[in-house]
Amino acid sequence: MVEVGDKLVGYATDDEVRKRGASGGLVTAVLAAALEKGMVESVVVLKHIDEYEAVPIITDDVEEVLASTGSMHSVPVNLAKYAVDRKVAMPGKPCDIKAVIEQSKRNMIDLDNTYLVGLNCGGTMPPVLTKQMLIEMYDIDPEDVVGEDIEKGKLIYRTKDGNEKAISIEELEEAGFGRRKNCQYCQLKIPTNSDLACGNWGVIGDLAGSATFCEVMNEKGKKLIENAVEAGRIEVAPASDKAIAIREKVNGVMVKMGETTQEKVFTQMPDEERLPYYREALADCIDCGGCKLACPVCSCGDDAKCTLFHSLGDNYKMSMFHLVRLLHLSDSCIGCGQCTDVCPVDIPITRIQMSFSIPVQTKLNYKPGMNADEKPPFFEVMIK
Amino acid sequence: MSDFEPDILTFCCNWCSYAGADLAGVSRLQYPTNSRVIRVMCSSRVEPIHILEALKEGTDGILVTGCHIGDCHYIEGNIHTDERMKEIVDALEHLGLRDRLHLEWVSAAEGKKFQETITDFVEKIRALGPNPLKNNKKEE
């Protein structure tokens, strides 16, 4: 049977599911089987609305799980908080999984009850900008798009009339489109922190496009796969050495890209420019509190220090709210980009936060969201 | 900036540093009058928020003092202080407020050290100039 550490290639047995899924429907089938066999009470999935919109739903209906979407590159939602206080199985990008693990460290999520199916992720795109990009760069009406693909560093859009157009991601990003800024310097592309790391990297030959490569990361992942095989929902076979090598290669290229971008984005600033920069950047804040609400790591609730000691009467220029958040999250920011996404006045909060977090996390040698047994360094002071 | 007199805030722990400050007083050791003392039960009571608030309100420098490692009245309080201050010093440096926060261990017997610490710190801040966050209230 399946062992922890196994690398498999599999697909859903149901043809309909296999066709609709982004790559073989394995993830959908695994989630459905977990629900069917009572391993979990509900499943978090994305309900497809159109190519640029999908809403997360928590469902206990197997049919609804099977009808859920394939991969959505333009829906940058973070699912972590949907798992709070529930016994669920959920799919997730690496940053979703990171957030779930960070929540579990804060006693908000019980990892024993939560099954995490990770999905390889090369980055997500903001929906509004994507539509604009389609019009300006691709010369395609956003409504005509029926599918998208990323292949060999190119973003491909297929339209209703059967045409497709490819433009390299580098070119798009230079024009200010493409992936969200934080995705461009993200360095976790294969969710090795999940229970089951799935994706289409490393699926080759006849199976390309209709099977999923998955790596069993721990006991829970093993249970998920075994359960789905028993339920007759999926078929798996060990992956070939060539497939494994290709997956590693794709991952290597993506991570390298992330590292290079990170070096480019986070350059050292001279001392005297720092304070004016932060004051300038945060001056626009309208105090909506959206970044705190959207943050998948935050778990203080209403009585949080960042809001309790902050008042609009103070001043805008050096918002206490942001200062406290910068310090409070410096060890735990996972760089998911939700705060930048929700900000109504377009403050690049993730970038500002990461410019604090990267040095702190490097110094403490701590990677948030990777290992559930590793407590955040500010929680535990080691008595040397 | 010859007439610049720095405002210094000193946090003293109840058990060592405050007694150290007391000793400096009864020993009649002279030190600059720029510093105001806030007594806390333990140096680990000092949170990032206290420091940020002080800086935001225009304090030029903040001195945190506590018992020597191993002498803490609460056994390990000052170990937490140490870890915490390191992070805040780094964060302030990142914000462009380098050298405005200093941590020093002062025991109850070290009146002399308390005097020297305050004197040195005041001189250091005097050389550094006023806190750029001063007069930070919204003007426009």
Side-chain angles (χ1 to χ4, degrees):
Chain A
M1 276 310 278
V2 187
E3 290 303 328
V4 174
D6 275 4
K7 296 185 170 86
L8 311 161
V9 174
Y11 46 82
T13 45
D14 186 329
D15 276 344
E16 183 58 28
V17 174
R18 189 172 175 187
K19 226 177 92 192
R20 196 164 349 94
S23 52
L26 181 111
V27 174
T28 313
V30 164
L31 292 173
L35 187 60
E36 219 171 30
K37 294 284 170 185
M39 280 171 73
V40 290
E41 280 159 9
S42 44
V43 172
V44 182
V45 285
L46 284 178
K47 190 173 172 169
H48 187 100
I49 292 176
D50 63 28
E51 201 58 43
Y52 315 98
E53 194 178 357
V55 286
I57 51 168
I58 303 161
T59 177
D60 53 8
D61 181 355
V62 178
E63 287 309 311
E64 220 165 0
V65 175
L66 291 176
S68 65
T69 61
S71 90
M72 303 278 294
H73 286 118
S74 324
V75 183
V77 64
N78 197 301
L79 299 173
K81 285 199 170 161
Y82 290 85
V84 172
D85 279 342
R86 288 196 177 81
K87 196 173 176 182
V88 292
M90 57 184 276
K93 305 181 291 300
C95 52
D96 290 310
I97 312 287
K98 274 189 189 176
V100 170
I101 290 177
E102 282 301 302
Q103 288 283 335
S104 89
K105 288 179 187 173
R106 288 160 176 72
N107 295 331
M108 302 295 277
I109 290 175
D110 185 359
L111 273 188
D112 292 339
N113 285 339
T114 314
Y115 290 87
L116 303 168
V117 183
L119 311 169
N120 292 355
C121 170
T124 49
M125 297 182 295
V128 175
L129 264 182
T130 307
K131 285 188 191 174
Q132 202 186 332
M133 171 181 82
L134 281 168
I135 296 168
E136 286 179 21
M137 306 282 294
Y138 282 82
D139 204 14
I140 294 176
D141 182 357
E143 301 302 319
D144 288 344
V145 170
V146 288
E148 58 179 19
D149 251 320
I150 295 179
E151 210 170 280
K152 298 209 171 95
K154 284 189 172 177
L155 183 63
I156 306 162
Y157 276 98
R158 287 191 302 276
T159 51
K160 272 181 197 159
D161 47 17
N163 290 333
E164 52 177 56
K165 191 166 180 186
I167 298 182
S168 85
I169 294 179
E170 254 172 57
E171 194 185 330
L172 293 172
E173 277 169 8
E174 262 166 39
F177 297 112
R179 295 174 297 165
R180 292 149 78 227
K181 294 282 178 294
N182 58 298
C183 296
Q184 295 178 21
Y185 54 78
C186 170
Q187 283 153 42
L188 184 68
K189 305 298 185 184
I190 295 179
T192 46
N193 48 354
S194 63
D195 300 329
L196 197 62
C198 303
N200 60 359
W201 302 347
V203 181
I204 42 170
D206 301 341
L207 287 172
S210 61
T212 312
F213 187 108
C214 72
E215 184 176 352
V216 184
M217 300 308 301
N218 56 24
E219 285 296 325
K220 276 193 290 167
K222 182 181 154 188
K223 249 165 89 182
L224 276 173
I225 283 282
E226 283 181 350
N227 175 61
V229 173
E230 261 170 51
R233 286 209 172 267
I234 60 167
E235 268 172 38
V236 289
S240 65
D241 288 345
K242 198 178 161 203
I244 295 171
I246 287 179
R247 179 170 177 261
E248 285 305 319
K249 199 179 145 205
V250 176
N251 186 39
V253 171
M254 299 295 275
V255 170
K256 187 92 193 94
M257 261 166 76
E259 281 169 2
T260 331
T261 320
Q262 179 173 321
E263 273 166 33
K264 246 189 276 171
V265 174
F266 297 98
T267 43
Q268 278 294 325
M269 225 186 285
D271 261 17
E272 62 279 7
E273 282 175 25
R274 291 181 187 176
L275 197 61
Y277 168 78
Y278 290 113
R279 284 171 75 162
E280 176 85 6
L282 297 173
D284 294 336
C285 178
I286 58 167
D287 212 37
C288 70
C291 42
K292 174 180 170 245
L293 287 177
C295 178
V297 178
C298 283
S299 56
C300 298
D302 290 339
D303 296 336
K305 270 179 193 155
C306 51
T307 46
L308 276 180
F309 291 86
H310 168 73
S311 132
L312 264 184
D314 287 355
N315 57 58
Y316 282 119
K317 280 187 172 172
M318 205 67 211
S319 152
M320 195 65 166
F321 172 69
H322 287 292
L323 279 177
V324 173
R325 277 182 59 81
L326 285 176
L327 278 172
H328 197 172
L329 286 171
S330 59
D331 64 336
S332 301
C333 177
I334 55 170
C336 65
Q338 298 292 311
C339 42
T340 305
D341 285 352
V342 295
C343 187
V345 288
D346 288 341
I347 302 175
I349 311 175
T350 313
R351 200 205 154 291
I352 294 174
Q353 177 70 59
M354 286 303 270
S355 70
F356 270 78
S357 300
I358 292 172
V360 171
Q361 289 170 9
T362 317
K363 196 183 84 184
L364 296 171
N365 195 16
Y366 170 74
K367 285 201 175 100
M370 295 307 290
N371 182 355
D373 301 326
E374 209 179 26
K375 290 275 180 253
F378 291 174
F379 278 27
E380 276 188 355
V381 175
M382 290 312 196
I383 312 292
K384 281 138 205 159
Chain B
M1 202 55 77
S2 56
D3 54 348
F4 165 62
E5 279 299 328
D7 285 332
I8 307 288
L9 189 64
T10 311
F11 288 99
C12 286
C13 92
N14 182 49
W15 305 100
C16 295
S17 310
Y18 197 77
D22 226 16
L23 184 63
V26 294
S27 316
R28 305 198 168 235
L29 299 172
Q30 299 292 319
Y31 58 83
T33 52
N34 305 54
S35 140
R36 300 180 197 171
V37 173
I38 293 181
R39 177 165 65 163
V40 286
M41 288 310 281
C42 177
S43 54
S44 61
R45 177 65 188 91
V46 183
E47 288 186 38
I49 204 142
H50 299 136
I51 287 157
L52 292 173
E53 186 73 39
L55 285 169
K56 217 162 65 92
E57 292 296 324
T59 312
D60 297 303
I62 297 158
L63 189 61
V64 179
T65 56
C67 312
H68 285 271
I69 297 282
D71 291 349
C72 182
H73 186 77
Y74 306 100
I75 299 166
E76 59 193 51
N78 51 7
I79 299 175
H80 291 262
T81 313
D82 192 23
E83 290 288 320
R84 187 182 258 172
M85 289 304 149
K86 269 189 224 152
E87 295 316 319
I88 306 174
V89 165
D90 278 6
L92 291 182
E93 190 181 315
H94 204 95
L95 266 177
L97 295 166
R98 198 189 285 268
D99 292 341
R100 292 198 182 268
L101 172 66
H102 183 67
L103 172 68
E104 192 71 53
W105 307 130
V106 177
S107 85
E110 291 174 329
K112 183 83 183 140
K113 185 176 179 188
F114 187 83
Q115 177 213 19
E116 282 163 4
T117 308
I118 298 262
T119 316
D120 291 352
F121 192 61
V122 169
E123 286 318 311
K124 200 170 102 185
I125 298 294
R126 200 191 295 278
L128 208 59
N131 175 0
L133 282 173
K134 224 171 208 172
N135 302 322
N136 179 38
K137 296 287 178 199
K138 215 171 148 195
E139 288 137 23
E140 303 91 358

